Structure formats: C-alpha cells, structure tokens
C-alpha cells in the first residue's frame, strides 16, 4: 500500500524521502516554488512554496511528506502570500524584464505571470551593485540576484570549486565572488560549470548567446511555469528515493 497525504483535499502518494513539493510534482500537482531545484537538497530560503500543513505554515520544499498530513496550497491566503514574496523580490532587485537577456527563461518572471503580479507592490530599491563583466565568457549582475544560493551550492557541490559567496547582512546582503580582486575573471569559474546553469534569473549570463533564442520562443514563452514544472518533475518510476 502506498502512503498518501492530502493536498487540497486530494490524496497524493509519496515515496520515502520525498518532500511535499517533490511528491506533489511527481503526482502532477503544482505547488509554486522558486529556490527549489530538483538536483539540490531544498533549503526553503525563498518561502514561495509555503503551504499550510495541519494548520501551520511550512515550506513545502523542505517539509517531509507524511501519511495523514493535511496540506493546503491553493488558498487565497497562500496565493496572496506567494504573490507578495515575488513582488518583494521584484522591488528589491533590478529586474527590468523587457531589457533582460533572460526574459522568457526567467523563473522569477514566469512566477510573476503565474501569480498574476502586475506591479511590484512596493517601492523599488533600485540597488546599485557592481556588474562584473571581467570574465571573457560570463557576466555577473548582482542587481538581479535573488540570493537563492543555487550558484554557490552548484559551484561547491558539483563543480568542486568555491566561486561564489554572500557578503553583508539584511538589505546589504549580496552575491560576491571569492577572489582577492573581487573580479569573476580572477576565479576559476568556467563556462561549462554547473553554477552557470542554475541561476533562475538573469544574474549569471553567458556572453554572446543572450538572444540566440528570440524572445517569444523561450522556455516560459511557450507554456506557463506550472506546466513546465510538471513536465520536468521526476515520476515515481524515476524517483531515486532521495532528496532533491
């Protein structure tokens, strides 16, 4: 017998080790998420996947699926919370979608469309962080960084490097590189690194390829992020029984 939990009143099967988000995706149920990446252990930093589990808020990407758990996701309250979180990210950074090379491939932008975000909803901070174009193949724009840590983790855990780090705290927290000069060119970052693939926004950009695929024909131009996430989700037969 397969264990299940309830998601918005419907039974969702899960395998041992799966979180609520992982089990939901595998079962064809989409819970909006941003910092979760299926190749890395979830850490729940962005809170976009917040659900209500047995009456208490929790991040669905870190909450272990358990038999008998009653999870609410598609409620007005939670949708409003997710929308506010995405609005705050838009206000905190410089996300000028019409001019961003990542437009159409950006998870934050796609989530904004999915959640019906029409305005930032908050005063824009317009941060003035350094744009690092020193590397011959990679551009780093910390103004677009949403502090998801995926590049840091990919660099350490997959690439065997330690290219990226955070500096500062609170509103001053920002992405930096581990080089005495502070320049990406003076690190061992390479174009083929996993860290260059996982950025969900336009903070890490490959040079000279930005518009190889025209806007209008990109990943989230073709179908909404909810459909893409379900299409990409590991199915039970593919699941390895472990974490992200």
């Amino acid at each position: 017998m397969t264990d299940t939990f309830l998601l918005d009143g419907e039974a969702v099967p899960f395998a041992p080790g799966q979180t609520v988000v992982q089990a939901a995706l595998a079962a064809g149920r989409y819970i909006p998420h941003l910092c979760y990446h299926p190749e890395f252990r979830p850490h729940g930093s962005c809170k976009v996947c917040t659900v209500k589990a047995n009456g208490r808020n929790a991040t669905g990407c870190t909450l272990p699926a358990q038999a008998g758990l009653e999870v609410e996701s598609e409620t007005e309250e939670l949708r409003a919370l997710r929308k506010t979180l995405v609005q705050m990210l838009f206000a905190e950074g410089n996300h000028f979608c019409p001019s961003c090379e990542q437009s159409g491939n950006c998870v934050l932008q796609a989530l904004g469309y999915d959640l019906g975000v029409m305005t930032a909803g908050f005063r824009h901070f317009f941060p003035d962080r350094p744009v690092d174009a020193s590397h011959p193949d990679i551009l780093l724009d910390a103004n677009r960084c949403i502090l998801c840590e995926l590049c840091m983790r990919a660099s350490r855990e997959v690439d065997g490097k330690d290219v990226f780090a955070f500096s500062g705290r609170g509103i001053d927290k920002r992405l930096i590189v581990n080089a005495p000069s502070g320049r990406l060119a003076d690190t061992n970052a390479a174009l083929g690194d996993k860290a260059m693939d996982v950025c969900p926004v336009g903070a890490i950009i490959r040079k000279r390829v930005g518009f190889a695929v025209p806007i209008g024909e990109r990943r989230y131009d073709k179908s909404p992020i909810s459909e893409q996430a379900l299409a990409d989700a590991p199915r039970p037969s593919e699941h390895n029984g472990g974490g992200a």
Side-chain angles (χ1 to χ4, degrees), residues 170-181:
I171 193 61
D172 295 322
K173 188 176 181 180
R174 64 184 178 87
L175 184 69
I176 61 170
V177 298
N178 286 317
S181 66

Side-chain angles (χ1 to χ4, degrees), residues 83-89 91-92 119-125:
K83 184 175 180 179
T84 298
L85 291 171
V86 169
Q87 286 178 310
M88 291 171 68
L89 290 172
E92 191 274 337
T119 66
F122 299 91
R123 177 179 60 83
H124 283 279
F125 286 16

Side-chain angles (χ1 to χ4, degrees), residues 174-225:
R174 64 184 178 87
L175 184 69
I176 61 170
V177 298
N178 286 317
S181 66
R183 292 166 18 110
L184 189 63
D186 296 326
T187 71
N188 55 352
L191 196 59
D193 288 353
K194 183 68 177 180
M196 309 311 153
D197 283 333
V198 296
C199 180
V201 291
I204 299 175
I205 293 288
R206 285 182 165 83
K207 292 182 177 179
R208 299 178 293 279
V209 298
F211 295 98
V213 177
I215 291 175
E217 298 179 13
R218 299 180 178 185
R219 180 174 173 81
Y220 301 116
D221 293 332
K222 296 178 179 177
S223 59
I225 191 170

Side-chain angles (χ1 to χ4, degrees), residues 104-184:
N105 288 327
C106 174
V107 177
L108 181 64
Q109 180 193 44
L111 266 176
Y113 282 125
D114 189 75
L115 294 169
V117 173
M118 303 302 291
T119 66
F122 299 91
R123 177 179 60 83
H124 283 279
F125 286 16
F126 296 123
D128 185 15
R129 304 169 186 138
V131 175
D132 187 345
S134 62
H135 195 284
D137 300 314
I138 307 160
L139 183 141
L140 179 63
D141 186 350
N143 296 292
R144 299 171 180 163
C145 177
I146 58 171
L147 306 177
C148 68
E149 300 186 24
L150 286 174
C151 61
M152 294 168 56
R153 301 170 71 191
S155 183
R156 287 196 304 263
E157 299 172 19
V158 179
D159 303 325
K161 303 177 181 179
D162 192 17
V163 172
F164 300 102
F166 285 149
S167 175
R169 303 180 65 180
I171 193 61
D172 295 322
K173 188 176 181 180
R174 64 184 178 87
L175 184 69
I176 61 170
V177 298
N178 286 317
S181 66
R183 292 166 18 110
L184 189 63

Side-chain angles (χ1 to χ4, degrees), residues 21 31-36 44 46-52 58-62 73 82 85:
V21 163
I31 296 175
H33 52 273
L34 177 53
C35 72
Y36 165 71
C46 77
K47 313 298 183 192
V48 170
C49 67
T50 296
V51 295
K52 186 165 286 186
T59 50
C61 73
T62 60
S73 176
R82 293 168 184 149
L85 291 171

